[in-house]
Amino acid sequence: MRSKSFLHAEQATLAWDVPGLVAGVDEAGRGPLAGPVVAAAVILDDMRPIKGLADSKKLSPKRREALYDEIRARALCCSIAEASVEEIDRLNILHATMLAMRRAVQGLRLKPTKVLVDGNRIPPLDVLAEAIVKGDAKVPAISAASILAKVTRDRMLADLHIRHPEYGFDQHKGYGTAQHLAALRRLGPLPEHRRSFAPVAQQCRAEA
């Protein structure tokens, strides 16, 4: 059972501002049937602005890759972390996402005075934090985090495609498309598939 403090921390929001370093946090990969969930935390450098930051889903793959390199080069610091498939299946995807976000913040070289998280929940942290719905389109630091997380996870799925090209991970990135579901029925799940997700669980039961 999750502690009350954990659940409270997920839902906490703050209405005030504080001076100092601000980190943006976002994730990629909550919905797919395969692969880890990846989170990133970014503290941008006001003296080295980055043009074109936006919600990673609104950017082309080529533009995301270019911005990924620019963020890594220009940000004051950034951190990328993940929660594994095993952790997703054990904790559930929400709590695994919070875990990945917490790891990303803890991995920052500099400690922020405030953390801005995309969405409506925040992980338990030892710094002030605020959840911002659609923050990846509103806050540059969150946009930067969304790009780092998205590019990192897409690269992981590209590597998985090289090992298992018959599943088409280069096309669907692990999401439950018709192509992916057909491959899952035909070939069965891989260790990288999330067995707590219904389509994968159903296929596991069919093979039992």
Side-chain angles (χ1 to χ4, degrees):
M1 179 180 293
R2 303 285 159 228
S3 69
K4 291 183 179 179
S5 62
F6 187 94
L7 293 174
H8 177 73
E10 287 183 329
Q11 300 173 23
T13 59
L14 299 173
W16 61 88
D17 204 356
V18 291
L21 298 176
V22 176
V25 178
D26 201 1
E27 53 74 28
R30 285 184 66 167
L33 306 180
V37 59
V38 177
V42 178
I43 301 176
L44 293 175
D45 186 348
D46 292 338
M47 303 302 293
R48 304 181 73 191
I50 301 171
K51 294 182 179 179
L53 292 175
D55 176 0
S56 63
K57 297 184 291 297
K58 303 293 179 62
L59 300 169
S60 69
K62 182 178 180 180
R63 184 62 181 145
R64 283 197 298 265
E65 288 282 349
L67 283 168
Y68 176 96
D69 292 337
E70 194 170 356
I71 294 163
R72 296 299 297 262
R74 289 176 171 266
L76 281 177
C77 62
C78 52
S79 170
I80 302 171
E82 66 179 77
S84 68
V85 170
E86 291 77 16
E87 288 170 324
I88 292 169
D89 287 341
R90 175 165 50 86
L91 299 173
N92 77 38
I93 186 58
L94 172 61
H95 289 93
T97 300
M98 295 297 106
L99 177 61
M101 286 182 169
R102 185 173 65 189
R103 287 170 173 167
V105 173
Q106 291 173 339
L108 289 168
R109 177 177 56 84
L110 302 173
K111 185 168 183 175
T113 57
K114 187 174 183 180
V115 174
L116 303 178
V117 182
D118 182 58
N120 60 4
R121 293 174 181 267
I122 57 175
L125 299 169
D126 62 353
V127 296
L128 298 177
E130 181 177 356
I132 301 179
V133 176
K134 296 184 179 179
D136 50 4
K138 301 174 182 176
V139 180
I142 298 179
S143 299
S146 76
I147 292 166
L148 294 191
K150 172 68 172 168
V151 170
T152 299
R153 190 178 189 283
D154 283 355
R155 290 177 178 178
M156 291 177 175
L157 272 292
D159 290 341
L160 184 58
H161 174 73
I162 292 172
R163 301 197 303 272
H164 303 282
E166 64 276 14
Y167 285 83
F169 288 111
D170 62 329
Q171 298 294 317
H172 53 67
K173 301 298 189 297
Y175 284 89
T177 64
Q179 175 194 11
H180 191 184
L181 294 175
L184 193 59
R185 288 191 296 269
R186 185 174 71 254
L187 302 166
L190 296 167
E192 292 82 2
H193 277 104
R194 302 172 180 179
R195 280 157 172 74
S196 57
F197 279 44
V200 183
Q202 182 179 8
Q203 186 59 36
C204 290
R205 288 193 297 269
E207 295 184 354

PDB file of all heavy atoms in Angstrom, residues 22-27 40 42 44 53-58 101 115-122 130-147:
ATOM      1  N   VAL A  22      15.404  27.053 -11.307  1.00  0.00           N
ATOM      2  CA  VAL A  22      14.147  26.347 -11.555  1.00  0.00           C
ATOM      3  C   VAL A  22      14.390  25.218 -12.549  1.00  0.00           C
ATOM      4  O   VAL A  22      14.984  25.436 -13.613  1.00  0.00           O
ATOM      5  CB  VAL A  22      13.065  27.303 -12.102  1.00  0.00           C
ATOM      6  CG1 VAL A  22      11.791  26.529 -12.443  1.00  0.00           C
ATOM      7  CG2 VAL A  22      12.768  28.403 -11.099  1.00  0.00           C
ATOM      8  N   ALA A  23      13.942  24.032 -12.210  1.00  0.00           N
ATOM      9  CA  ALA A  23      14.074  22.875 -13.093  1.00  0.00           C
ATOM     10  C   ALA A  23      12.728  22.527 -13.695  1.00  0.00           C
ATOM     11  O   ALA A  23      11.705  22.565 -13.016  1.00  0.00           O
ATOM     12  CB  ALA A  23      14.617  21.669 -12.325  1.00  0.00           C
ATOM     13  N   GLY A  24      12.730  22.206 -14.981  1.00  0.00           N
ATOM     14  CA  GLY A  24      11.551  21.675 -15.641  1.00  0.00           C
ATOM     15  C   GLY A  24      11.648  20.166 -15.740  1.00  0.00           C
ATOM     16  O   GLY A  24      12.743  19.626 -15.962  1.00  0.00           O
ATOM     17  N   VAL A  25      10.531  19.473 -15.562  1.00  0.00           N
ATOM     18  CA  VAL A  25      10.521  18.007 -15.570  1.00  0.00           C
ATOM     19  C   VAL A  25       9.384  17.507 -16.452  1.00  0.00           C
ATOM     20  O   VAL A  25       8.268  18.018 -16.390  1.00  0.00           O
ATOM     21  CB  VAL A  25      10.362  17.441 -14.140  1.00  0.00           C
ATOM     22  CG1 VAL A  25      10.301  15.916 -14.165  1.00  0.00           C
ATOM     23  CG2 VAL A  25      11.498  17.911 -13.252  1.00  0.00           C
ATOM     24  N   ASP A  26       9.674  16.507 -17.263  1.00  0.00           N
ATOM     25  CA  ASP A  26       8.639  15.865 -18.068  1.00  0.00           C
ATOM     26  C   ASP A  26       9.047  14.417 -18.320  1.00  0.00           C
ATOM     27  O   ASP A  26      10.176  14.012 -18.043  1.00  0.00           O
ATOM     28  CB  ASP A  26       8.438  16.600 -19.393  1.00  0.00           C
ATOM     29  CG  ASP A  26       7.071  16.320 -20.025  1.00  0.00           C
ATOM     30  OD1 ASP A  26       6.286  15.566 -19.421  1.00  0.00           O
ATOM     31  OD2 ASP A  26       6.804  16.832 -21.120  1.00  0.00           O
ATOM     32  N   GLU A  27       8.108  13.646 -18.865  1.00  0.00           N
ATOM     33  CA  GLU A  27       8.358  12.227 -19.117  1.00  0.00           C
ATOM     34  C   GLU A  27       7.960  11.861 -20.540  1.00  0.00           C
ATOM     35  O   GLU A  27       7.257  12.619 -21.213  1.00  0.00           O
ATOM     36  CB  GLU A  27       7.591  11.365 -18.122  1.00  0.00           C
ATOM     37  CG  GLU A  27       6.094  11.644 -18.037  1.00  0.00           C
ATOM     38  CD  GLU A  27       5.274  11.135 -19.197  1.00  0.00           C
ATOM     39  OE1 GLU A  27       5.669  10.136 -19.830  1.00  0.00           O
ATOM     40  OE2 GLU A  27       4.221  11.745 -19.483  1.00  0.00           O
ATOM     41  N   ALA A  40      13.036  13.401 -17.720  1.00  0.00           N
ATOM     42  CA  ALA A  40      14.185  14.298 -17.780  1.00  0.00           C
ATOM     43  C   ALA A  40      13.914  15.516 -16.914  1.00  0.00           C
ATOM     44  O   ALA A  40      12.768  15.937 -16.734  1.00  0.00           O
ATOM     45  CB  ALA A  40      14.472  14.718 -19.213  1.00  0.00           C
ATOM     46  N   VAL A  42      15.590  19.537 -16.413  1.00  0.00           N
ATOM     47  CA  VAL A  42      16.475  20.501 -17.068  1.00  0.00           C
ATOM     48  C   VAL A  42      16.427  21.828 -16.324  1.00  0.00           C
ATOM     49  O   VAL A  42      15.350  22.336 -16.006  1.00  0.00           O
ATOM     50  CB  VAL A  42      16.067  20.736 -18.535  1.00  0.00           C
ATOM     51  CG1 VAL A  42      16.978  21.775 -19.189  1.00  0.00           C
ATOM     52  CG2 VAL A  42      16.105  19.437 -19.322  1.00  0.00           C
ATOM     53  N   LEU A  44      17.626  25.457 -17.317  1.00  0.00           N
ATOM     54  CA  LEU A  44      18.128  26.237 -18.437  1.00  0.00           C
ATOM     55  C   LEU A  44      19.011  27.386 -17.950  1.00  0.00           C
ATOM     56  O   LEU A  44      18.901  27.847 -16.804  1.00  0.00           O
ATOM     57  CB  LEU A  44      16.962  26.796 -19.254  1.00  0.00           C
ATOM     58  CG  LEU A  44      16.107  25.772 -19.998  1.00  0.00           C
ATOM     59  CD1 LEU A  44      14.929  26.456 -20.670  1.00  0.00           C
ATOM     60  CD2 LEU A  44      16.933  25.005 -21.037  1.00  0.00           C
ATOM     61  N   LEU A  53      12.095  25.968 -28.503  1.00  0.00           N
ATOM     62  CA  LEU A  53      11.631  24.970 -27.539  1.00  0.00           C
ATOM     63  C   LEU A  53      10.108  24.883 -27.574  1.00  0.00           C
ATOM     64  O   LEU A  53       9.416  25.895 -27.594  1.00  0.00           O
ATOM     65  CB  LEU A  53      12.092  25.325 -26.130  1.00  0.00           C
ATOM     66  CG  LEU A  53      13.599  25.231 -25.864  1.00  0.00           C
ATOM     67  CD1 LEU A  53      13.913  25.740 -24.468  1.00  0.00           C
ATOM     68  CD2 LEU A  53      14.089  23.797 -26.039  1.00  0.00           C
ATOM     69  N   ALA A  54       9.593  23.666 -27.581  1.00  0.00           N
ATOM     70  CA  ALA A  54       8.154  23.439 -27.658  1.00  0.00           C
ATOM     71  C   ALA A  54       7.867  22.026 -27.168  1.00  0.00           C
ATOM     72  O   ALA A  54       8.789  21.235 -26.912  1.00  0.00           O
ATOM     73  CB  ALA A  54       7.649  23.618 -29.093  1.00  0.00           C
ATOM     74  N   ASP A  55       6.596  21.718 -27.037  1.00  0.00           N
ATOM     75  CA  ASP A  55       6.175  20.362 -26.712  1.00  0.00           C
ATOM     76  C   ASP A  55       6.821  19.405 -27.712  1.00  0.00           C
ATOM     77  O   ASP A  55       6.692  19.577 -28.924  1.00  0.00           O
ATOM     78  CB  ASP A  55       4.652  20.295 -26.786  1.00  0.00           C
ATOM     79  CG  ASP A  55       4.099  18.898 -26.556  1.00  0.00           C
ATOM     80  OD1 ASP A  55       4.876  17.962 -26.327  1.00  0.00           O
ATOM     81  OD2 ASP A  55       2.868  18.757 -26.629  1.00  0.00           O
ATOM     82  N   SER A  56       7.520  18.409 -27.216  1.00  0.00           N
ATOM     83  CA  SER A  56       8.264  17.504 -28.104  1.00  0.00           C
ATOM     84  C   SER A  56       7.364  16.823 -29.121  1.00  0.00           C
ATOM     85  O   SER A  56       7.804  16.503 -30.233  1.00  0.00           O
ATOM     86  CB  SER A  56       9.008  16.449 -27.273  1.00  0.00           C
ATOM     87  OG  SER A  56       8.097  15.636 -26.552  1.00  0.00           O
ATOM     88  N   LYS A  57       6.103  16.598 -28.752  1.00  0.00           N
ATOM     89  CA  LYS A  57       5.187  15.914 -29.674  1.00  0.00           C
ATOM     90  C   LYS A  57       4.841  16.787 -30.879  1.00  0.00           C
ATOM     91  O   LYS A  57       4.362  16.271 -31.893  1.00  0.00           O
ATOM     92  CB  LYS A  57       3.903  15.516 -28.926  1.00  0.00           C
ATOM     93  CG  LYS A  57       4.122  14.521 -27.792  1.00  0.00           C
ATOM     94  CD  LYS A  57       2.831  14.093 -27.152  1.00  0.00           C
ATOM     95  CE  LYS A  57       2.164  15.206 -26.367  1.00  0.00           C
ATOM     96  NZ  LYS A  57       2.978  15.672 -25.220  1.00  0.00           N
ATOM     97  N   LYS A  58       5.051  18.103 -30.764  1.00  0.00           N
ATOM     98  CA  LYS A  58       4.732  19.016 -31.863  1.00  0.00           C
ATOM     99  C   LYS A  58       5.915  19.233 -32.802  1.00  0.00           C
ATOM    100  O   LYS A  58       5.798  19.961 -33.795  1.00  0.00           O
ATOM    101  CB  LYS A  58       4.282  20.363 -31.289  1.00  0.00           C
ATOM    102  CG  LYS A  58       3.087  20.280 -30.344  1.00  0.00           C
ATOM    103  CD  LYS A  58       1.826  19.853 -31.071  1.00  0.00           C
ATOM    104  CE  LYS A  58       0.631  19.745 -30.126  1.00  0.00           C
ATOM    105  NZ  LYS A  58       0.277  21.012 -29.482  1.00  0.00           N
ATOM    106  N   MET A 101      10.686  10.468 -12.562  1.00  0.00           N
ATOM    107  CA  MET A 101      10.819  11.920 -12.405  1.00  0.00           C
ATOM    108  C   MET A 101      11.675  12.264 -11.190  1.00  0.00           C
ATOM    109  O   MET A 101      12.537  13.149 -11.250  1.00  0.00           O
ATOM    110  CB  MET A 101       9.442  12.554 -12.274  1.00  0.00           C
ATOM    111  CG  MET A 101       8.653  12.614 -13.565  1.00  0.00           C
ATOM    112  SD  MET A 101       7.045  13.438 -13.311  1.00  0.00           S
ATOM    113  CE  MET A 101       6.518  13.654 -15.011  1.00  0.00           C
ATOM    114  N   VAL A 115      10.854  23.094  -8.645  1.00  0.00           N
ATOM    115  CA  VAL A 115      10.702  22.164  -9.767  1.00  0.00           C
ATOM    116  C   VAL A 115       9.311  22.349 -10.365  1.00  0.00           C
ATOM    117  O   VAL A 115       8.311  22.365  -9.641  1.00  0.00           O
ATOM    118  CB  VAL A 115      10.886  20.705  -9.296  1.00  0.00           C
ATOM    119  CG1 VAL A 115      10.579  19.731 -10.435  1.00  0.00           C
ATOM    120  CG2 VAL A 115      12.310  20.485  -8.796  1.00  0.00           C
ATOM    121  N   LEU A 116       9.259  22.496 -11.679  1.00  0.00           N
ATOM    122  CA  LEU A 116       7.994  22.615 -12.412  1.00  0.00           C
ATOM    123  C   LEU A 116       7.792  21.339 -13.207  1.00  0.00           C
ATOM    124  O   LEU A 116       8.640  20.970 -14.030  1.00  0.00           O
ATOM    125  CB  LEU A 116       8.020  23.825 -13.343  1.00  0.00           C
ATOM    126  CG  LEU A 116       8.309  25.175 -12.678  1.00  0.00           C
ATOM    127  CD1 LEU A 116       8.365  26.280 -13.725  1.00  0.00           C
ATOM    128  CD2 LEU A 116       7.284  25.494 -11.604  1.00  0.00           C
ATOM    129  N   VAL A 117       6.684  20.652 -12.959  1.00  0.00           N
ATOM    130  CA  VAL A 117       6.434  19.342 -13.537  1.00  0.00           C
ATOM    131  C   VAL A 117       5.262  19.416 -14.504  1.00  0.00           C
ATOM    132  O   VAL A 117       4.211  19.981 -14.176  1.00  0.00           O
ATOM    133  CB  VAL A 117       6.138  18.299 -12.430  1.00  0.00           C
ATOM    134  CG1 VAL A 117       5.925  16.915 -13.047  1.00  0.00           C
ATOM    135  CG2 VAL A 117       7.272  18.265 -11.423  1.00  0.00           C
ATOM    136  N   ASP A 118       5.418  18.834 -15.676  1.00  0.00           N
ATOM    137  CA  ASP A 118       4.308  18.790 -16.623  1.00  0.00           C
ATOM    138  C   ASP A 118       3.198  17.875 -16.095  1.00  0.00           C
ATOM    139  O   ASP A 118       3.471  16.790 -15.589  1.00  0.00           O
ATOM    140  CB  ASP A 118       4.802  18.264 -17.977  1.00  0.00           C
ATOM    141  CG  ASP A 118       3.701  18.247 -19.018  1.00  0.00           C
ATOM    142  OD1 ASP A 118       3.113  19.306 -19.290  1.00  0.00           O
ATOM    143  OD2 ASP A 118       3.402  17.160 -19.555  1.00  0.00           O
ATOM    144  N   GLY A 119       1.954  18.314 -16.222  1.00  0.00           N
ATOM    145  CA  GLY A 119       0.826  17.475 -15.824  1.00  0.00           C
ATOM    146  C   GLY A 119       0.122  17.997 -14.593  1.00  0.00           C
ATOM    147  O   GLY A 119       0.193  19.185 -14.265  1.00  0.00           O
ATOM    148  N   ASN A 120      -0.548  17.103 -13.890  1.00  0.00           N
ATOM    149  CA  ASN A 120      -1.316  17.500 -12.707  1.00  0.00           C
ATOM    150  C   ASN A 120      -0.878  16.779 -11.437  1.00  0.00           C
ATOM    151  O   ASN A 120      -1.576  16.809 -10.427  1.00  0.00           O
ATOM    152  CB  ASN A 120      -2.811  17.274 -12.941  1.00  0.00           C
ATOM    153  CG  ASN A 120      -3.143  15.821 -13.233  1.00  0.00           C
ATOM    154  OD1 ASN A 120      -2.270  14.949 -13.186  1.00  0.00           O
ATOM    155  ND2 ASN A 120      -4.401  15.543 -13.546  1.00  0.00           N
ATOM    156  N   ARG A 121       0.277  16.126 -11.484  1.00  0.00           N
ATOM    157  CA  ARG A 121       0.817  15.444 -10.308  1.00  0.00           C
ATOM    158  C   ARG A 121       2.317  15.699 -10.230  1.00  0.00           C
ATOM    159  O   ARG A 121       2.976  15.887 -11.248  1.00  0.00           O
ATOM    160  CB  ARG A 121       0.569  13.935 -10.359  1.00  0.00           C
ATOM    161  CG  ARG A 121      -0.899  13.536 -10.263  1.00  0.00           C
ATOM    162  CD  ARG A 121      -1.041  12.034 -10.462  1.00  0.00           C
ATOM    163  NE  ARG A 121      -2.422  11.610 -10.405  1.00  0.00           N
ATOM    164  CZ  ARG A 121      -3.040  11.191  -9.312  1.00  0.00           C
ATOM    165  NH1 ARG A 121      -2.399  11.138  -8.167  1.00  0.00           N
ATOM    166  NH2 ARG A 121      -4.305  10.811  -9.351  1.00  0.00           N
ATOM    167  N   ILE A 122       2.841  15.657  -9.014  1.00  0.00           N
ATOM    168  CA  ILE A 122       4.278  15.802  -8.829  1.00  0.00           C
ATOM    169  C   ILE A 122       4.797  14.642  -7.980  1.00  0.00           C
ATOM    170  O   ILE A 122       4.090  14.118  -7.122  1.00  0.00           O
ATOM    171  CB  ILE A 122       4.632  17.140  -8.168  1.00  0.00           C
ATOM    172  CG1 ILE A 122       3.922  17.304  -6.820  1.00  0.00           C
ATOM    173  CG2 ILE A 122       4.315  18.297  -9.094  1.00  0.00           C
ATOM    174  CD1 ILE A 122       4.329  18.546  -6.066  1.00  0.00           C
ATOM    175  N   GLU A 130       5.751  22.333  -8.359  1.00  0.00           N
ATOM    176  CA  GLU A 130       4.422  22.708  -8.831  1.00  0.00           C
ATOM    177  C   GLU A 130       4.117  21.947 -10.106  1.00  0.00           C
ATOM    178  O   GLU A 130       4.979  21.808 -10.988  1.00  0.00           O
ATOM    179  CB  GLU A 130       4.360  24.215  -9.099  1.00  0.00           C
ATOM    180  CG  GLU A 130       2.992  24.692  -9.564  1.00  0.00           C
ATOM    181  CD  GLU A 130       2.933  26.199  -9.750  1.00  0.00           C
ATOM    182  OE1 GLU A 130       3.933  26.873  -9.449  1.00  0.00           O
ATOM    183  OE2 GLU A 130       1.881  26.699 -10.204  1.00  0.00           O
ATOM    184  N   ALA A 131       2.902  21.448 -10.214  1.00  0.00           N
ATOM    185  CA  ALA A 131       2.445  20.766 -11.425  1.00  0.00           C
ATOM    186  C   ALA A 131       1.768  21.785 -12.337  1.00  0.00           C
ATOM    187  O   ALA A 131       0.969  22.599 -11.874  1.00  0.00           O
ATOM    188  CB  ALA A 131       1.481  19.649 -11.072  1.00  0.00           C
ATOM    189  N   ILE A 132       2.090  21.724 -13.627  1.00  0.00           N
ATOM    190  CA  ILE A 132       1.529  22.657 -14.603  1.00  0.00           C
ATOM    191  C   ILE A 132       0.933  21.858 -15.756  1.00  0.00           C
ATOM    192  O   ILE A 132       1.665  21.192 -16.504  1.00  0.00           O
ATOM    193  CB  ILE A 132       2.602  23.631 -15.127  1.00  0.00           C
ATOM    194  CG1 ILE A 132       3.196  24.433 -13.968  1.00  0.00           C
ATOM    195  CG2 ILE A 132       2.008  24.564 -16.176  1.00  0.00           C
ATOM    196  CD1 ILE A 132       4.284  25.396 -14.380  1.00  0.00           C
ATOM    197  N   VAL A 133      -0.374  21.896 -15.888  1.00  0.00           N
ATOM    198  CA  VAL A 133      -1.040  21.186 -16.977  1.00  0.00           C
ATOM    199  C   VAL A 133      -0.623  21.801 -18.307  1.00  0.00           C
ATOM    200  O   VAL A 133      -0.602  23.022 -18.465  1.00  0.00           O
ATOM    201  CB  VAL A 133      -2.565  21.257 -16.802  1.00  0.00           C
ATOM    202  CG1 VAL A 133      -3.272  20.616 -17.985  1.00  0.00           C
ATOM    203  CG2 VAL A 133      -2.979  20.558 -15.505  1.00  0.00           C
ATOM    204  N   LYS A 134      -0.231  20.946 -19.241  1.00  0.00           N
ATOM    205  CA  LYS A 134       0.284  21.365 -20.554  1.00  0.00           C
ATOM    206  C   LYS A 134       1.512  22.251 -20.410  1.00  0.00           C
ATOM    207  O   LYS A 134       1.768  23.127 -21.229  1.00  0.00           O
ATOM    208  CB  LYS A 134      -0.807  22.065 -21.369  1.00  0.00           C
ATOM    209  CG  LYS A 134      -1.976  21.158 -21.705  1.00  0.00           C
ATOM    210  CD  LYS A 134      -2.998  21.842 -22.589  1.00  0.00           C
ATOM    211  CE  LYS A 134      -4.150  20.896 -22.921  1.00  0.00           C
ATOM    212  NZ  LYS A 134      -5.178  21.558 -23.774  1.00  0.00           N
ATOM    213  N   GLY A 135       2.280  21.986 -19.370  1.00  0.00           N
ATOM    214  CA  GLY A 135       3.490  22.767 -19.126  1.00  0.00           C
ATOM    215  C   GLY A 135       4.525  22.625 -20.215  1.00  0.00           C
ATOM    216  O   GLY A 135       5.355  23.519 -20.414  1.00  0.00           O
ATOM    217  N   ASP A 136       4.502  21.486 -20.951  1.00  0.00           N
ATOM    218  CA  ASP A 136       5.483  21.299 -22.018  1.00  0.00           C
ATOM    219  C   ASP A 136       5.282  22.286 -23.163  1.00  0.00           C
ATOM    220  O   ASP A 136       6.169  22.464 -23.999  1.00  0.00           O
ATOM    221  CB  ASP A 136       5.473  19.862 -22.538  1.00  0.00           C
ATOM    222  CG  ASP A 136       4.087  19.357 -22.887  1.00  0.00           C
ATOM    223  OD1 ASP A 136       3.117  20.133 -22.802  1.00  0.00           O
ATOM    224  OD2 ASP A 136       3.971  18.174 -23.230  1.00  0.00           O
ATOM    225  N   ALA A 137       4.122  22.924 -23.220  1.00  0.00           N
ATOM    226  CA  ALA A 137       3.869  23.946 -24.233  1.00  0.00           C
ATOM    227  C   ALA A 137       3.947  25.355 -23.657  1.00  0.00           C
ATOM    228  O   ALA A 137       3.864  26.327 -24.415  1.00  0.00           O
ATOM    229  CB  ALA A 137       2.491  23.731 -24.860  1.00  0.00           C
ATOM    230  N   LYS A 138       4.106  25.481 -22.336  1.00  0.00           N
ATOM    231  CA  LYS A 138       4.062  26.783 -21.682  1.00  0.00           C
ATOM    232  C   LYS A 138       5.386  27.207 -21.063  1.00  0.00           C
ATOM    233  O   LYS A 138       5.691  28.397 -21.000  1.00  0.00           O
ATOM    234  CB  LYS A 138       2.995  26.769 -20.575  1.00  0.00           C
ATOM    235  CG  LYS A 138       1.587  26.467 -21.030  1.00  0.00           C
ATOM    236  CD  LYS A 138       0.654  26.344 -19.832  1.00  0.00           C
ATOM    237  CE  LYS A 138      -0.764  25.986 -20.239  1.00  0.00           C
ATOM    238  NZ  LYS A 138      -1.639  25.773 -19.046  1.00  0.00           N
ATOM    239  N   VAL A 139       6.153  26.257 -20.561  1.00  0.00           N
ATOM    240  CA  VAL A 139       7.359  26.556 -19.789  1.00  0.00           C
ATOM    241  C   VAL A 139       8.578  26.015 -20.541  1.00  0.00           C
ATOM    242  O   VAL A 139       8.683  24.802 -20.755  1.00  0.00           O
ATOM    243  CB  VAL A 139       7.275  25.909 -18.388  1.00  0.00           C
ATOM    244  CG1 VAL A 139       8.533  26.220 -17.586  1.00  0.00           C
ATOM    245  CG2 VAL A 139       6.025  26.384 -17.657  1.00  0.00           C
ATOM    246  N   PRO A 140       9.512  26.877 -20.939  1.00  0.00           N
ATOM    247  CA  PRO A 140      10.661  26.409 -21.733  1.00  0.00           C
ATOM    248  C   PRO A 140      11.446  25.267 -21.088  1.00  0.00           C
ATOM    249  O   PRO A 140      11.863  24.340 -21.785  1.00  0.00           O
ATOM    250  CB  PRO A 140      11.507  27.672 -21.875  1.00  0.00           C
ATOM    251  CG  PRO A 140      10.523  28.790 -21.822  1.00  0.00           C
ATOM    252  CD  PRO A 140       9.485  28.354 -20.829  1.00  0.00           C
ATOM    253  N   ALA A 141      11.638  25.326 -19.775  1.00  0.00           N
ATOM    254  CA  ALA A 141      12.411  24.258 -19.122  1.00  0.00           C
ATOM    255  C   ALA A 141      11.679  22.923 -19.197  1.00  0.00           C
ATOM    256  O   ALA A 141      12.315  21.864 -19.343  1.00  0.00           O
ATOM    257  CB  ALA A 141      12.696  24.617 -17.667  1.00  0.00           C
ATOM    258  N   ILE A 142      10.356  22.944 -19.108  1.00  0.00           N
ATOM    259  CA  ILE A 142       9.594  21.703 -19.252  1.00  0.00           C
ATOM    260  C   ILE A 142       9.635  21.234 -20.702  1.00  0.00           C
ATOM    261  O   ILE A 142       9.748  20.029 -20.971  1.00  0.00           O
ATOM    262  CB  ILE A 142       8.142  21.885 -18.769  1.00  0.00           C
ATOM    263  CG1 ILE A 142       8.096  22.243 -17.285  1.00  0.00           C
ATOM    264  CG2 ILE A 142       7.329  20.617 -19.009  1.00  0.00           C
ATOM    265  CD1 ILE A 142       6.692  22.470 -16.746  1.00  0.00           C
ATOM    266  N   SER A 143       9.543  22.167 -21.651  1.00  0.00           N
ATOM    267  CA  SER A 143       9.674  21.800 -23.067  1.00  0.00           C
ATOM    268  C   SER A 143      11.008  21.108 -23.308  1.00  0.00           C
ATOM    269  O   SER A 143      11.073  20.085 -23.998  1.00  0.00           O
ATOM    270  CB  SER A 143       9.578  23.048 -23.949  1.00  0.00           C
ATOM    271  OG  SER A 143       8.348  23.706 -23.803  1.00  0.00           O
ATOM    272  N   ALA A 144      12.070  21.667 -22.743  1.00  0.00           N
ATOM    273  CA  ALA A 144      13.398  21.064 -22.908  1.00  0.00           C
ATOM    274  C   ALA A 144      13.439  19.667 -22.316  1.00  0.00           C
ATOM    275  O   ALA A 144      14.003  18.735 -22.914  1.00  0.00           O
ATOM    276  CB  ALA A 144      14.451  21.957 -22.248  1.00  0.00           C
ATOM    277  N   ALA A 145      12.826  19.497 -21.142  1.00  0.00           N
ATOM    278  CA  ALA A 145      12.792  18.170 -20.525  1.00  0.00           C
ATOM    279  C   ALA A 145      12.004  17.186 -21.376  1.00  0.00           C
ATOM    280  O   ALA A 145      12.389  16.016 -21.517  1.00  0.00           O
ATOM    281  CB  ALA A 145      12.186  18.267 -19.123  1.00  0.00           C
ATOM    282  N   SER A 146      10.902  17.649 -21.962  1.00  0.00           N
ATOM    283  CA  SER A 146      10.090  16.753 -22.792  1.00  0.00           C
ATOM    284  C   SER A 146      10.888  16.288 -24.012  1.00  0.00           C
ATOM    285  O   SER A 146      10.764  15.135 -24.440  1.00  0.00           O
ATOM    286  CB  SER A 146       8.796  17.447 -23.224  1.00  0.00           C
ATOM    287  OG  SER A 146       9.005  18.390 -24.263  1.00  0.00           O
ATOM    288  N   ILE A 147      11.698  17.174 -24.570  1.00  0.00           N
ATOM    289  CA  ILE A 147      12.515  16.815 -25.734  1.00  0.00           C
ATOM    290  C   ILE A 147      13.583  15.790 -25.352  1.00  0.00           C
ATOM    291  O   ILE A 147      13.775  14.786 -26.056  1.00  0.00           O
ATOM    292  CB  ILE A 147      13.150  18.081 -26.337  1.00  0.00           C
ATOM    293  CG1 ILE A 147      12.059  18.968 -26.972  1.00  0.00           C
ATOM    294  CG2 ILE A 147      14.217  17.728 -27.376  1.00  0.00           C
ATOM    295  CD1 ILE A 147      12.504  20.373 -27.288  1.00  0.00           C
TER     296      ILE A 147
END
